[in-house]
Amino acid sequence: MSSIFCTHRIPETGLTLLREKGHTVEVAEKETPLTRDELLQALRAKPYDAVITLLTDHVDGEVFDACPTARIWSNYAVGFNNLNIEEAKKRGLIVTNTAGTSSRAVAEHTVALMLALSTRLDEGDRFMREGKFKGWDPDLLIGVDISESTVGLIGTGAIGHEVANILYKGFGAKIIYSDPVINKSIEDEFGARRYSVEDTLKQADFVSLHVPLMNETKHLLNKERIEMMKPTAFLINTARGPIIDEKALVEALRDKKIRGAGLDVFEFEPEITEGLLHLENVIVTPH
């Protein structure tokens, strides 16, 4: 059977499935992601038949060549932007990812960020902990009703479709979207209408990003596009950090050019862009 190297511990269920099939699985012992040198050293240690990578591993030609016996590279992630697919093709390698497996979970987290922002949940929590609550007040921390909002989806793959499903059926929100191709499914099911990226940004009360990270989508939301959004609008990103020019976002949030943001991914993660964590109109969660 095969010898498999996993660059970071994954849920034991997956490892058990492989071992029950007779495969030998070795897992990197380090609690944090391997550095590039550590990854190269680990791959050169043995003639593995397959490698399980994580989205924190940047896999290019040098990494592939560090373990030339491995013909299968399985990415434990929905995306694949961390792997150089062209270099894999040159070597005739099989590359897989886990597309679709977390669509519902990511969609629910997206909606959770929207709800936290619209209800000012994080602000309310801080307000209480700081001892500011003196009794009920009809003007206190008034939020936004999603049921009366327009949600703009940038990208309508499996996750975008599930977000539309939850918001349309659960809240009655109006759905608009931008996608390179017409998505007849969300148009028929949720009454969604398709617009350009720019027109989606201009109309939406909530903008939610659901595109893969590619050359074409890096900084898809740059300074110019962020400023197209309504000053009352919220921006949600549960896709990939570099889709947003984060420095431009910090500026827009600081200057109240948009109302707020909910971020689960970051342009330079695990590093956070300077100033982002000091803003009270942003909610951040650890990918």
Side-chain angles (χ1 to χ4, degrees), residues 129-260:
R129 293 175 188 276
E130 291 168 5
K132 295 179 179 179
F133 182 58
K134 304 303 179 185
W136 181 81
D137 182 341
D139 293 324
L140 181 62
L141 294 172
I142 296 173
V144 176
D145 291 334
I146 289 180
S147 60
E148 298 177 1
S149 299
T150 296
V151 176
L153 303 174
I154 310 296
T156 57
I159 296 171
H161 184 280
E162 191 58 43
V163 170
N165 179 55
I166 296 170
L167 293 174
Y168 179 76
K169 293 182 179 178
F171 295 87
K174 177 183 177 182
I175 307 296
I176 63 175
Y177 75 99
S178 175
D179 199 287
V181 297
I182 295 172
N183 190 321
K184 195 170 185 304
S185 175
I186 72 164
E187 291 185 2
D188 291 345
E189 291 182 52
F190 316 125
R193 294 190 62 184
R194 178 173 174 251
Y195 295 93
S196 65
V197 171
E198 291 77 10
D199 285 340
T200 300
L201 294 172
K202 291 174 183 177
Q203 295 183 59
D205 299 303
F206 293 86
V207 174
S208 192
L209 304 179
H210 303 287
V211 294
L213 178 59
M214 304 180 291
N215 290 333
E216 297 82 359
T217 60
K218 183 176 181 180
H219 285 188
L220 180 67
L221 263 69
N222 53 21
K223 177 181 174 65
E224 180 183 4
R225 282 187 167 145
I226 292 171
E227 292 182 355
M228 290 178 183
M229 294 173 60
K230 298 177 182 180
T232 55
F234 298 100
L235 177 60
I236 312 294
N237 189 11
T238 54
R240 288 292 184 268
I243 295 168
I244 299 176
D245 179 343
E246 221 162 69
K247 291 181 180 179
L249 175 62
V250 169
E251 180 182 320
L253 289 166
R254 186 188 62 223
D255 297 342
K256 303 296 191 295
K257 291 180 179 177
I258 63 174
R259 184 166 179 175

Side-chain angles (χ1 to χ4, degrees), residues 246-281:
E246 221 162 69
K247 291 181 180 179
L249 175 62
V250 169
E251 180 182 320
L253 289 166
R254 186 188 62 223
D255 297 342
K256 303 296 191 295
K257 291 180 179 177
I258 63 174
R259 184 166 179 175
L263 308 174
D264 184 53
V265 290
F266 307 91
E267 185 174 359
F268 308 106
E269 65 182 67
E271 302 298 321
I272 306 297
T273 296
E274 185 177 355
L276 188 64
L277 297 181
H278 300 298
L279 297 167
E280 293 193 353
N281 55 345

